[in-house]
Amino acid sequence: DMAQRLAAVARAGQAGLLVKKNLVSKNAVILDHNPAGYKIGVSIVTDYFAHPCMNALMPKIVKLPSYSLKIGSTFVSKDSVAFFPLNKEDVSFHISRHELEELMIREWEIPVLRERVKSVDLARKIVVTDKNEYKVARQIIDCSGPAMVVARSVKDVAPLWPVYSTWTYFDIAGSDTGKFWDSIRSRGAKYLRYSDLRTPGKLEPMKTDDSWDPLNTTMLTQLREGMWTWQIPLHRGKLLSFGAVSRHGEISEAELLEIARTQCGPNYPLTARPLDPSSPYNRLHVRNNFAQKASTAATRDYILVADAFCFADPIYSVGVALAANEGIEVASLLNEGDGWNDEKCKTYCAKYEALIGRAVTAFNYWYSGALVADGAAADEVQK
């Protein structure tokens, strides 16, 4: 009966697909008006593949067009460059999320109902879409990301901090690592490397003959306090996602293009793409005042997963890993014989509040530039 559902999962992003994949009960509907639609390009970090269901997809993920190996992150400030490497055995890469999500839907044969969620009536536990109404027997699981469908329906969304972002894409003609090192030397900048990924580490001086290749990193450049650029190579280093994020105000198209001209990694010769509606990669994207947080992550009637509880930043690589891991955890909790209860709800809320608190602290270390100047800050960001 389409009108009676164990649970309704809003949106078929990373978290929603993993909830659906790992729920034992098949009587849960997943609703998304645009499954596998464009989302901001993403860096996948190691813990994303801790679960076997994701690890099993790797042979096909590496064949996706946008796949690019990631060996770590590069933080660039006025007087220093700091490298945060991954261990060689770790799995990490850059990829376009719509490609990854399309693969997950196809390989797991997940039925996604192409319906847009219009409203949620928590008192009656009814989810209303543009095509149907769904009476939910147990929990509404919100995986809607920054749309925060459930939290907004109960007017439980508050600003986290003011933040603005604008981004677009460039073609990469190649990468000259030598020019990257030359720029560091010419500026007289310090070059540092985070030393240890398994035990408490520190930033240490680094030799410029290191085999580090900026083409395989997320590069983040501080323009001033509270303002950074991101550079994420996709399509095996042939396409660059370039954006700016600021806590000071909106970023215009002209400002972004000037930032790209002056601040792009010196190893990249870039070619501008025509701005037209032919592809998401040919557009200027803007997202302003997007940092929002709900006051509680779950009740007996609903569960907010990842960004549907707190959407803090569009760049930080751990975001999609948090979404995936929380999606798997929620499914595991619901699979247990006693289902969702007060104790699980309380524990989930406390745990996730603490996790978001740590992420927010890391964001602040990043926006202030402390992570390239303070060993303790660098250690917390890496963890």
mmCIF file of all heavy atoms in Angstrom, residues 340-378:
data_model
loop_
_atom_site.group_PDB
_atom_site.id
_atom_site.type_symbol
_atom_site.label_atom_id
_atom_site.label_comp_id
_atom_site.label_asym_id
_atom_site.label_seq_id
_atom_site.Cartn_x
_atom_site.Cartn_y
_atom_site.Cartn_z
ATOM 1 N N TRP A 340 13.656 2.135 16.699
ATOM 2 C CA TRP A 340 14.049 3.451 17.203
ATOM 3 C C TRP A 340 13.350 3.689 18.531
ATOM 4 O O TRP A 340 12.137 3.540 18.630
ATOM 5 C CB TRP A 340 13.642 4.509 16.188
ATOM 6 C CG TRP A 340 14.167 5.896 16.401
ATOM 7 C CD1 TRP A 340 13.459 6.997 16.720
ATOM 8 C CD2 TRP A 340 15.517 6.337 16.257
ATOM 9 N NE1 TRP A 340 14.272 8.109 16.794
ATOM 10 C CE2 TRP A 340 15.554 7.728 16.513
ATOM 11 C CE3 TRP A 340 16.712 5.685 15.935
ATOM 12 C CZ2 TRP A 340 16.723 8.482 16.455
ATOM 13 C CZ3 TRP A 340 17.880 6.438 15.883
ATOM 14 C CH2 TRP A 340 17.880 7.805 16.139
ATOM 15 N N ASN A 341 14.106 4.030 19.571
ATOM 16 C CA ASN A 341 13.495 4.284 20.876
ATOM 17 C C ASN A 341 14.114 5.529 21.505
ATOM 18 O O ASN A 341 15.014 6.153 20.940
ATOM 19 C CB ASN A 341 13.644 3.065 21.791
ATOM 20 C CG ASN A 341 15.099 2.634 21.970
ATOM 21 O OD1 ASN A 341 15.999 3.474 22.062
ATOM 22 N ND2 ASN A 341 15.329 1.322 22.007
ATOM 23 N N ASP A 342 13.633 5.871 22.690
ATOM 24 C CA ASP A 342 14.083 7.105 23.335
ATOM 25 C C ASP A 342 15.578 7.101 23.603
ATOM 26 O O ASP A 342 16.258 8.123 23.423
ATOM 27 C CB ASP A 342 13.324 7.317 24.650
ATOM 28 C CG ASP A 342 11.873 7.710 24.430
ATOM 29 O OD1 ASP A 342 11.574 8.261 23.352
ATOM 30 O OD2 ASP A 342 11.045 7.452 25.328
ATOM 31 N N GLU A 343 16.109 5.965 24.034
ATOM 32 C CA GLU A 343 17.529 5.896 24.375
ATOM 33 C C GLU A 343 18.401 6.061 23.125
ATOM 34 O O GLU A 343 19.396 6.791 23.136
ATOM 35 C CB GLU A 343 17.847 4.569 25.060
ATOM 36 C CG GLU A 343 19.261 4.463 25.604
ATOM 37 C CD GLU A 343 19.587 5.549 26.635
ATOM 38 O OE1 GLU A 343 18.667 5.956 27.377
ATOM 39 O OE2 GLU A 343 20.752 5.981 26.688
ATOM 40 N N LYS A 344 18.022 5.391 22.045
ATOM 41 C CA LYS A 344 18.784 5.535 20.798
ATOM 42 C C LYS A 344 18.720 6.963 20.281
ATOM 43 O O LYS A 344 19.720 7.509 19.799
ATOM 44 C CB LYS A 344 18.237 4.577 19.741
ATOM 45 C CG LYS A 344 18.579 3.115 19.969
ATOM 46 C CD LYS A 344 18.007 2.268 18.842
ATOM 47 C CE LYS A 344 18.244 0.793 19.107
ATOM 48 N NZ LYS A 344 17.647 -0.048 18.050
ATOM 49 N N CYS A 345 17.558 7.544 20.380
ATOM 50 C CA CYS A 345 17.383 8.913 19.917
ATOM 51 C C CYS A 345 18.272 9.870 20.702
ATOM 52 O O CYS A 345 18.967 10.716 20.129
ATOM 53 C CB CYS A 345 15.915 9.305 20.038
ATOM 54 S SG CYS A 345 15.551 10.968 19.443
ATOM 55 N N LYS A 346 18.267 9.712 22.018
ATOM 56 C CA LYS A 346 19.075 10.573 22.880
ATOM 57 C C LYS A 346 20.565 10.417 22.576
ATOM 58 O O LYS A 346 21.311 11.406 22.481
ATOM 59 C CB LYS A 346 18.788 10.241 24.343
ATOM 60 C CG LYS A 346 19.569 11.081 25.335
ATOM 61 C CD LYS A 346 19.218 10.690 26.771
ATOM 62 C CE LYS A 346 20.027 11.478 27.787
ATOM 63 N NZ LYS A 346 19.698 11.077 29.179
ATOM 64 N N THR A 347 21.011 9.169 22.425
ATOM 65 C CA THR A 347 22.419 8.902 22.146
ATOM 66 C C THR A 347 22.828 9.454 20.783
ATOM 67 O O THR A 347 23.899 10.052 20.624
ATOM 68 C CB THR A 347 22.693 7.390 22.198
ATOM 69 O OG1 THR A 347 22.345 6.895 23.496
ATOM 70 C CG2 THR A 347 24.153 7.081 21.924
ATOM 71 N N TYR A 348 21.963 9.254 19.789
ATOM 72 C CA TYR A 348 22.233 9.747 18.438
ATOM 73 C C TYR A 348 22.385 11.262 18.449
ATOM 74 O O TYR A 348 23.325 11.813 17.865
ATOM 75 C CB TYR A 348 21.097 9.329 17.509
ATOM 76 C CG TYR A 348 21.217 9.836 16.089
ATOM 77 C CD1 TYR A 348 21.990 9.150 15.151
ATOM 78 C CD2 TYR A 348 20.557 10.996 15.683
ATOM 79 C CE1 TYR A 348 22.100 9.612 13.841
ATOM 80 C CE2 TYR A 348 20.665 11.461 14.377
ATOM 81 C CZ TYR A 348 21.428 10.770 13.462
ATOM 82 O OH TYR A 348 21.535 11.233 12.170
ATOM 83 N N CYS A 349 21.478 11.944 19.111
ATOM 84 C CA CYS A 349 21.517 13.405 19.155
ATOM 85 C C CYS A 349 22.790 13.908 19.824
ATOM 86 O O CYS A 349 23.451 14.834 19.328
ATOM 87 C CB CYS A 349 20.292 13.946 19.888
ATOM 88 S SG CYS A 349 18.745 13.767 18.974
ATOM 89 N N ALA A 350 23.144 13.303 20.955
ATOM 90 C CA ALA A 350 24.338 13.748 21.683
ATOM 91 C C ALA A 350 25.601 13.499 20.873
ATOM 92 O O ALA A 350 26.495 14.360 20.796
ATOM 93 C CB ALA A 350 24.415 13.024 23.026
ATOM 94 N N LYS A 351 25.668 12.326 20.264
ATOM 95 C CA LYS A 351 26.851 11.976 19.483
ATOM 96 C C LYS A 351 27.010 12.907 18.280
ATOM 97 O O LYS A 351 28.103 13.410 18.004
ATOM 98 C CB LYS A 351 26.746 10.531 19.006
ATOM 99 C CG LYS A 351 27.856 10.100 18.062
ATOM 100 C CD LYS A 351 27.614 8.698 17.548
ATOM 101 C CE LYS A 351 28.643 8.333 16.483
ATOM 102 N NZ LYS A 351 28.399 6.993 15.912
ATOM 103 N N TYR A 352 25.900 13.151 17.591
ATOM 104 C CA TYR A 352 25.991 13.944 16.378
ATOM 105 C C TYR A 352 26.223 15.418 16.686
ATOM 106 O O TYR A 352 26.918 16.112 15.949
ATOM 107 C CB TYR A 352 24.747 13.745 15.521
ATOM 108 C CG TYR A 352 25.043 13.947 14.067
ATOM 109 C CD1 TYR A 352 26.234 13.471 13.519
ATOM 110 C CD2 TYR A 352 24.180 14.616 13.237
ATOM 111 C CE1 TYR A 352 26.549 13.663 12.195
ATOM 112 C CE2 TYR A 352 24.471 14.813 11.896
ATOM 113 C CZ TYR A 352 25.665 14.332 11.382
ATOM 114 O OH TYR A 352 25.970 14.540 10.058
ATOM 115 N N GLU A 353 25.684 15.894 17.791
ATOM 116 C CA GLU A 353 25.937 17.273 18.209
ATOM 117 C C GLU A 353 27.430 17.458 18.482
ATOM 118 O O GLU A 353 28.029 18.469 18.097
ATOM 119 C CB GLU A 353 25.128 17.592 19.463
ATOM 120 C CG GLU A 353 25.095 19.051 19.844
ATOM 121 C CD GLU A 353 24.246 19.908 18.922
ATOM 122 O OE1 GLU A 353 23.078 19.567 18.689
ATOM 123 O OE2 GLU A 353 24.771 20.929 18.441
ATOM 124 N N ALA A 354 28.041 16.467 19.152
ATOM 125 C CA ALA A 354 29.476 16.552 19.444
ATOM 126 C C ALA A 354 30.296 16.492 18.162
ATOM 127 O O ALA A 354 31.294 17.216 18.005
ATOM 128 C CB ALA A 354 29.877 15.412 20.386
ATOM 129 N N LEU A 355 29.883 15.650 17.224
ATOM 130 C CA LEU A 355 30.602 15.513 15.962
ATOM 131 C C LEU A 355 30.550 16.808 15.160
ATOM 132 O O LEU A 355 31.565 17.279 14.626
ATOM 133 C CB LEU A 355 29.988 14.363 15.158
ATOM 134 C CG LEU A 355 30.787 13.825 13.975
ATOM 135 C CD1 LEU A 355 32.137 13.290 14.424
ATOM 136 C CD2 LEU A 355 29.993 12.726 13.281
ATOM 137 N N ILE A 356 29.362 17.400 15.088
ATOM 138 C CA ILE A 356 29.217 18.675 14.378
ATOM 139 C C ILE A 356 30.021 19.764 15.076
ATOM 140 O O ILE A 356 30.635 20.624 14.438
ATOM 141 C CB ILE A 356 27.732 19.076 14.294
ATOM 142 C CG1 ILE A 356 26.991 18.125 13.351
ATOM 143 C CG2 ILE A 356 27.570 20.515 13.838
ATOM 144 C CD1 ILE A 356 27.488 18.157 11.918
ATOM 145 N N GLY A 357 30.060 19.723 16.412
ATOM 146 C CA GLY A 357 30.851 20.699 17.160
ATOM 147 C C GLY A 357 32.317 20.644 16.788
ATOM 148 O O GLY A 357 32.975 21.683 16.621
ATOM 149 N N ARG A 358 32.841 19.429 16.631
ATOM 150 C CA ARG A 358 34.245 19.280 16.239
ATOM 151 C C ARG A 358 34.462 19.782 14.816
ATOM 152 O O ARG A 358 35.478 20.417 14.510
ATOM 153 C CB ARG A 358 34.669 17.822 16.340
ATOM 154 C CG ARG A 358 34.787 17.323 17.775
ATOM 155 C CD ARG A 358 35.435 15.952 17.815
ATOM 156 N NE ARG A 358 36.820 16.013 17.391
ATOM 157 C CZ ARG A 358 37.538 14.940 17.036
ATOM 158 N NH1 ARG A 358 36.975 13.745 17.053
ATOM 159 N NH2 ARG A 358 38.789 15.066 16.684
ATOM 160 N N ALA A 359 33.508 19.490 13.932
ATOM 161 C CA ALA A 359 33.634 19.954 12.549
ATOM 162 C C ALA A 359 33.621 21.479 12.485
ATOM 163 O O ALA A 359 34.405 22.092 11.751
ATOM 164 C CB ALA A 359 32.513 19.374 11.693
ATOM 165 N N VAL A 360 32.748 22.088 13.267
ATOM 166 C CA VAL A 360 32.667 23.544 13.291
ATOM 167 C C VAL A 360 33.978 24.144 13.804
ATOM 168 O O VAL A 360 34.474 25.151 13.282
ATOM 169 C CB VAL A 360 31.467 24.004 14.143
ATOM 170 C CG1 VAL A 360 31.551 25.491 14.453
ATOM 171 C CG2 VAL A 360 30.155 23.695 13.405
ATOM 172 N N THR A 361 34.553 23.528 14.825
ATOM 173 C CA THR A 361 35.854 23.985 15.326
ATOM 174 C C THR A 361 36.906 23.904 14.228
ATOM 175 O O THR A 361 37.711 24.829 14.044
ATOM 176 C CB THR A 361 36.292 23.135 16.527
ATOM 177 O OG1 THR A 361 35.372 23.311 17.602
ATOM 178 C CG2 THR A 361 37.685 23.530 17.008
ATOM 179 N N ALA A 362 36.896 22.799 13.477
ATOM 180 C CA ALA A 362 37.859 22.637 12.390
ATOM 181 C C ALA A 362 37.650 23.695 11.307
ATOM 182 O O ALA A 362 38.615 24.239 10.762
ATOM 183 C CB ALA A 362 37.752 21.234 11.800
ATOM 184 N N PHE A 363 36.382 23.983 10.988
ATOM 185 C CA PHE A 363 36.097 25.046 10.018
ATOM 186 C C PHE A 363 36.705 26.364 10.479
ATOM 187 O O PHE A 363 37.298 27.105 9.688
ATOM 188 C CB PHE A 363 34.588 25.240 9.856
ATOM 189 C CG PHE A 363 33.904 24.152 9.081
ATOM 190 C CD1 PHE A 363 32.742 23.590 9.549
ATOM 191 C CD2 PHE A 363 34.423 23.707 7.878
ATOM 192 C CE1 PHE A 363 32.093 22.590 8.838
ATOM 193 C CE2 PHE A 363 33.782 22.707 7.160
ATOM 194 C CZ PHE A 363 32.615 22.148 7.639
ATOM 195 N N ASN A 364 36.546 26.683 11.750
ATOM 196 C CA ASN A 364 37.062 27.948 12.259
ATOM 197 C C ASN A 364 38.589 28.003 12.208
ATOM 198 O O ASN A 364 39.169 29.052 11.929
ATOM 199 C CB ASN A 364 36.549 28.183 13.685
ATOM 200 C CG ASN A 364 35.086 28.565 13.716
ATOM 201 O OD1 ASN A 364 34.603 29.238 12.806
ATOM 202 N ND2 ASN A 364 34.362 28.147 14.733
ATOM 203 N N TYR A 365 39.233 26.857 12.465
ATOM 204 C CA TYR A 365 40.683 26.800 12.317
ATOM 205 C C TYR A 365 41.071 27.062 10.860
ATOM 206 O O TYR A 365 42.077 27.704 10.569
ATOM 207 C CB TYR A 365 41.225 25.434 12.731
ATOM 208 C CG TYR A 365 41.266 25.206 14.220
ATOM 209 C CD1 TYR A 365 41.087 23.923 14.755
ATOM 210 C CD2 TYR A 365 41.522 26.239 15.112
ATOM 211 C CE1 TYR A 365 41.130 23.690 16.115
ATOM 212 C CE2 TYR A 365 41.570 26.024 16.478
ATOM 213 C CZ TYR A 365 41.374 24.739 16.972
ATOM 214 O OH TYR A 365 41.422 24.510 18.319
ATOM 215 N N TRP A 366 40.270 26.549 9.963
ATOM 216 C CA TRP A 366 40.545 26.706 8.542
ATOM 217 C C TRP A 366 40.319 28.151 8.110
ATOM 218 O O TRP A 366 41.190 28.784 7.511
ATOM 219 C CB TRP A 366 39.657 25.735 7.757
ATOM 220 C CG TRP A 366 39.669 25.917 6.282
ATOM 221 C CD1 TRP A 366 40.775 26.185 5.502
ATOM 222 C CD2 TRP A 366 38.558 25.863 5.398
ATOM 223 N NE1 TRP A 366 40.402 26.292 4.182
ATOM 224 C CE2 TRP A 366 39.050 26.097 4.092
ATOM 225 C CE3 TRP A 366 37.204 25.627 5.572
ATOM 226 C CZ2 TRP A 366 38.223 26.112 2.978
ATOM 227 C CZ3 TRP A 366 36.389 25.637 4.455
ATOM 228 C CH2 TRP A 366 36.893 25.873 3.184
ATOM 229 N N TYR A 367 39.156 28.716 8.427
ATOM 230 C CA TYR A 367 38.847 30.075 7.983
ATOM 231 C C TYR A 367 39.833 31.093 8.554
ATOM 232 O O TYR A 367 40.144 32.094 7.915
ATOM 233 C CB TYR A 367 37.417 30.453 8.375
ATOM 234 C CG TYR A 367 36.389 30.005 7.370
ATOM 235 C CD1 TYR A 367 35.607 28.886 7.603
ATOM 236 C CD2 TYR A 367 36.201 30.699 6.170
ATOM 237 C CE1 TYR A 367 34.666 28.460 6.668
ATOM 238 C CE2 TYR A 367 35.273 30.285 5.236
ATOM 239 C CZ TYR A 367 34.501 29.166 5.482
ATOM 240 O OH TYR A 367 33.586 28.745 4.560
ATOM 241 N N SER A 368 40.299 30.857 9.773
ATOM 242 C CA SER A 368 41.237 31.806 10.385
ATOM 243 C C SER A 368 42.663 31.613 9.893
ATOM 244 O O SER A 368 43.520 32.481 10.075
ATOM 245 C CB SER A 368 41.214 31.648 11.906
ATOM 246 O OG SER A 368 41.779 30.400 12.281
ATOM 247 N N GLY A 369 42.950 30.458 9.294
ATOM 248 C CA GLY A 369 44.305 30.150 8.868
ATOM 249 C C GLY A 369 45.149 29.512 9.949
ATOM 250 O O GLY A 369 46.339 29.250 9.745
ATOM 251 N N ALA A 370 44.537 29.202 11.116
ATOM 252 C CA ALA A 370 45.307 28.640 12.232
ATOM 253 C C ALA A 370 45.913 27.285 11.891
ATOM 254 O O ALA A 370 46.960 26.914 12.417
ATOM 255 C CB ALA A 370 44.416 28.511 13.470
ATOM 256 N N LEU A 371 45.285 26.540 10.982
ATOM 257 C CA LEU A 371 45.757 25.176 10.718
ATOM 258 C C LEU A 371 47.131 25.145 10.059
ATOM 259 O O LEU A 371 47.808 24.116 10.102
ATOM 260 C CB LEU A 371 44.753 24.416 9.869
ATOM 261 C CG LEU A 371 44.819 24.584 8.345
ATOM 262 C CD1 LEU A 371 43.993 23.501 7.673
ATOM 263 C CD2 LEU A 371 44.330 25.933 7.930
ATOM 264 N N VAL A 372 47.578 26.261 9.440
ATOM 265 C CA VAL A 372 48.914 26.279 8.856
ATOM 266 C C VAL A 372 49.919 26.989 9.756
ATOM 267 O O VAL A 372 51.079 27.156 9.386
ATOM 268 C CB VAL A 372 48.904 26.947 7.457
ATOM 269 C CG1 VAL A 372 48.114 26.113 6.480
ATOM 270 C CG2 VAL A 372 48.372 28.365 7.520
ATOM 271 N N ALA A 373 49.467 27.382 10.943
ATOM 272 C CA ALA A 373 50.365 28.088 11.872
ATOM 273 C C ALA A 373 50.445 27.424 13.232
ATOM 274 O O ALA A 373 51.378 27.685 13.997
ATOM 275 C CB ALA A 373 49.895 29.538 12.045
ATOM 276 N N ASP A 374 49.488 26.564 13.550
ATOM 277 C CA ASP A 374 49.385 25.987 14.882
ATOM 278 C C ASP A 374 49.291 24.465 14.756
ATOM 279 O O ASP A 374 48.351 23.944 14.139
ATOM 280 C CB ASP A 374 48.147 26.555 15.577
ATOM 281 C CG ASP A 374 47.996 26.062 17.005
ATOM 282 O OD1 ASP A 374 47.865 24.835 17.191
ATOM 283 O OD2 ASP A 374 47.980 26.892 17.928
ATOM 284 N N GLY A 375 50.236 23.758 15.354
ATOM 285 C CA GLY A 375 50.268 22.306 15.250
ATOM 286 C C GLY A 375 49.033 21.629 15.821
ATOM 287 O O GLY A 375 48.526 20.659 15.264
ATOM 288 N N ALA A 376 48.528 22.139 16.944
ATOM 289 C CA ALA A 376 47.333 21.546 17.561
ATOM 290 C C ALA A 376 46.118 21.731 16.661
ATOM 291 O O ALA A 376 45.274 20.836 16.534
ATOM 292 C CB ALA A 376 47.088 22.176 18.929
ATOM 293 N N ALA A 377 46.009 22.906 16.034
ATOM 294 C CA ALA A 377 44.899 23.153 15.108
ATOM 295 C C ALA A 377 45.008 22.235 13.897
ATOM 296 O O ALA A 377 44.008 21.666 13.435
ATOM 297 C CB ALA A 377 44.896 24.613 14.665
ATOM 298 N N ALA A 378 46.228 22.079 13.374
ATOM 299 C CA ALA A 378 46.427 21.182 12.240
ATOM 300 C C ALA A 378 46.039 19.754 12.594
ATOM 301 O O ALA A 378 45.412 19.044 11.799
ATOM 302 C CB ALA A 378 47.893 21.225 11.806
#
